[in-house]
Amino acid sequence: IYWWRPVISMLSTEVPRNSLLAGSLGLFLAGSAAQGQCQYEVTVIRGPTCPIFGIPVTYGYDINELGEVVGSHYQCGNNWADDAAYIWTPKSGLITLDFLPGFMEARAQKLNDLGQIVGALINRRSKFSLKAALWQDGQVFDLGILPGGNWSHALAINNKGQIAGYWGNDLTGEPVWSVFLWQNGQMVDLGSQLGRRLSRANDINEYGAVTGLMGFSLFQDVRAFIWEEGVVTELPPVPGGFTSEARAINNLGDVAGTGRLFDVEAGQVVRHAFVWTDGKMIDIGTLPGIIMSAAFDINDARQVVGRSWATGIGRAFIWQNGVMTNLNDLIQSVPQVTMHVATAINNAGQIAGHGSVQGHSAALLLTPINSPLGDLDNDCVVGLADLEILLNSWGPCPDCVNCLADLDGDCAVAVPDLLTLLANWTG
């Protein structure tokens, strides 16, 4: 087991990221995907029980690195189906977030590690029915609408407090959507830089790269994009298809989403989940016997989660090491639980989403069981794939971003992290 000692003697804190050593090891490890697969324990997240209607529907939309979840739940009362935004934490449980006067509903879409939450305030009785919102420090803020619009919706936030979403006007005869970036207290339109009539931002990473969709028609020419400091990269359609829609971007610049293509065997247009990585568009397929899929999130370990569905059936999936797996096959010790949608995954491998528990809809949190320290790809095995990730991350982590392999929390990947990984080696 001492094969690794010569490797340690070759390393120092001066080895740069993507070094020749790391690259050479990557070639050596090519095709050596880990054989492990995590099992998951389930936490059920429910809203407050209603006196008449009983347990309300609860949805889980996002999870941060602290394992906190945000989403929405139905409200009690006459408008039982109206949404209320919430945050759930391991210590406090579910807390319903406040509204602003004039709004009857709210939806929490994303949160960062500082507890800032973004989403929308909703008033179905007003022409200004949707307002981008920020919750922080126990308060809720209306982020406003850009001139010419009548609604806005915040869909993503990073730890710098940059917020991405979209805004538009549905009363002009021909609806227009446009991407916005909110930072330093100001909302800025990015749609003109994309050059499309319709655009929407779905995610933003810690470097401020925004991803989403753009097009003149949502059904024919829509394309995924990456916007970073004014530079727009248009992604191609899903392989063999004609559209792509980005839903998530990680700190490596990898993108996950979905695209449309014609399935000859099924005789219809279907959706397939994709991953964009290293300049290549990869169709990651569907679960066996199911014809459609969409990816909703990707973490820095390049684990992808989403939903695969067909008429009358929908199942959450995880894709890693080139394999898509039904998450319901990995859930432990909870009877009558079915996860229909996996919406988010953090770098610890925790997954948020929603499904059904004993016939009632509920938000779900999945946590890997017995994942050892040093398991960087979250497959519950510490092996060659984890060593490759660590070496490819070697060196300081600017602003503590992209620090997946920083096991001792000092904002650098160095010899102590390597020793920790090797001490937990399971092969």
Side-chain angles (χ1 to χ4, degrees):
I1 65 174
Y2 301 104
W3 62 269
W4 44 265
R5 285 186 172 172
V7 175
I8 296 176
S9 67
M10 296 172 63
L11 297 175
S12 73
T13 56
E14 301 301 319
V15 178
R17 291 171 182 265
N18 301 314
S19 66
L20 178 62
L21 173 62
S24 300
L25 186 63
L27 291 175
F28 173 74
L29 295 174
S32 62
Q35 300 301 309
Q37 176 61 67
C38 286
Q39 303 290 302
Y40 296 88
E41 63 180 6
V42 180
T43 301
V44 178
I45 301 172
R46 290 193 174 103
T49 300
C50 299
I52 298 176
F53 297 102
I55 301 173
V57 173
T58 307
Y59 299 102
Y61 294 138
D62 194 30
I63 184 170
N64 65 12
E65 298 304 326
L66 305 176
E68 299 168 337
V69 177
V70 295
S72 65
H73 66 78
Y74 286 1
Q75 300 182 56
C76 300
N78 294 331
N79 297 316
W80 186 67
D82 289 347
D83 285 336
Y86 75 83
I87 180 172
W88 177 93
T89 74
K91 291 184 178 180
S92 304
L94 186 142
I95 301 171
T96 300
L97 302 176
D98 291 335
F99 302 95
L100 282 177
F103 295 95
M104 300 173 294
E105 298 181 64
R107 189 170 299 145
Q109 300 283 169
K110 293 285 180 72
L111 81 163
N112 62 18
D113 299 332
L114 306 177
Q116 295 174 303
I117 303 164
V118 296
L121 297 164
I122 305 166
N123 184 349
R124 301 183 194 274
R125 297 186 177 91
S126 169
K127 66 178 181 179
F128 299 102
S129 59
L130 201 65
K131 288 282 191 73
L134 167 67
W135 289 267
Q136 66 175 14
D137 300 326
Q139 300 182 70
V140 55
F141 300 93
D142 179 350
L143 298 182
I145 299 173
L146 286 166
N150 71 340
W151 59 266
S152 60
H153 196 167
L155 292 173
I157 184 170
N158 62 17
N159 285 334
K160 295 178 181 178
Q162 295 174 300
I163 299 169
Y166 69 135
W167 67 280
N169 192 325
D170 290 339
L171 301 177
T172 59
E174 189 174 21
V176 175
W177 303 352
S178 190
V179 171
F180 75 75
L181 177 65
W182 188 94
Q183 57 184 352
N184 301 321
Q186 184 177 6
M187 183 181 289
V188 178
D189 177 48
L190 301 183
S192 60
Q193 299 180 37
L194 300 175
R196 302 294 198 278
R197 182 176 65 86
L198 302 171
S199 60
R200 183 176 74 206
N202 287 322
D203 201 13
I204 184 170
N205 69 12
E206 297 303 332
Y207 296 106
V210 176
T211 198
L213 60 91
M214 61 184 185
F216 295 100
S217 166
L218 291 179
F219 300 102
Q220 296 181 3
D221 66 354
V222 67
R223 295 287 186 274
F225 72 86
I226 302 171
W227 177 96
E228 189 168 14
E229 297 183 348
V231 177
V232 178
T233 302
E234 179 177 332
L235 305 189
V238 66
F242 53 91
T243 72
S244 57
E245 305 170 22
R247 300 294 181 88
I249 184 168
N250 66 14
N251 293 317
L252 305 173
D254 304 312
V255 172
T258 187
R260 290 182 172 89
L261 67 156
F262 186 79
D263 186 321
V264 176
E265 185 174 341
Q268 67 181 87
V269 174
V270 299
R271 286 178 174 267
H272 277 196
F274 74 78
V275 172
W276 168 266
T277 183
D278 297 327
K280 297 179 181 179
M281 179 71 78
I282 303 169
D283 181 343
I284 65 174
T286 65
L287 291 175
I290 303 179
I291 61 173
M292 297 199 197
S293 62
F296 295 131
D297 202 12
I298 180 170
N299 65 11
D300 292 345
R302 290 176 169 150
Q303 292 179 292
V304 178
V305 294
R307 178 179 184 239
S308 190
W309 76 96
T311 302
I313 185 173
R315 294 294 182 265
F317 72 77
I318 183 169
W319 180 88
Q320 61 181 349
N321 300 323
V323 178
M324 181 181 289
T325 305
N326 186 336
L327 276 168
N328 294 281
D329 295 336
L330 307 175
I331 292 175
Q332 294 272 309
S333 305
V334 179
Q336 299 182 52
V337 169
T338 302
M339 194 172 199
H340 300 304
V341 185
T343 53
I345 183 168
N346 64 16
N347 284 333
Q350 292 180 294
I351 299 167
H354 39 268
S356 62
V357 180
Q358 298 177 334
H360 298 282
S361 296
L364 301 173
L365 168 63
L366 305 189
T367 300
I369 297 173
N370 297 325
S371 178
L373 186 62
D375 175 24
L376 303 179
D377 62 354
N378 299 313
D379 65 353
C380 288
V381 172
V382 178
L384 292 177
D386 305 296
L387 180 59
E388 180 182 17
I389 291 173
L390 186 145
L391 294 179
N392 278 321
S393 304
W394 196 266
C397 308
D399 299 323
C400 279
V401 175
N402 194 16
C403 267
L404 182 67
D406 176 22
L407 299 177
D408 60 2
D410 65 352
C411 296
V413 180
V415 170
D417 304 299
L418 176 61
L419 293 174
T420 298
L421 186 148
L422 296 173
N424 289 280
W425 192 270
T426 57

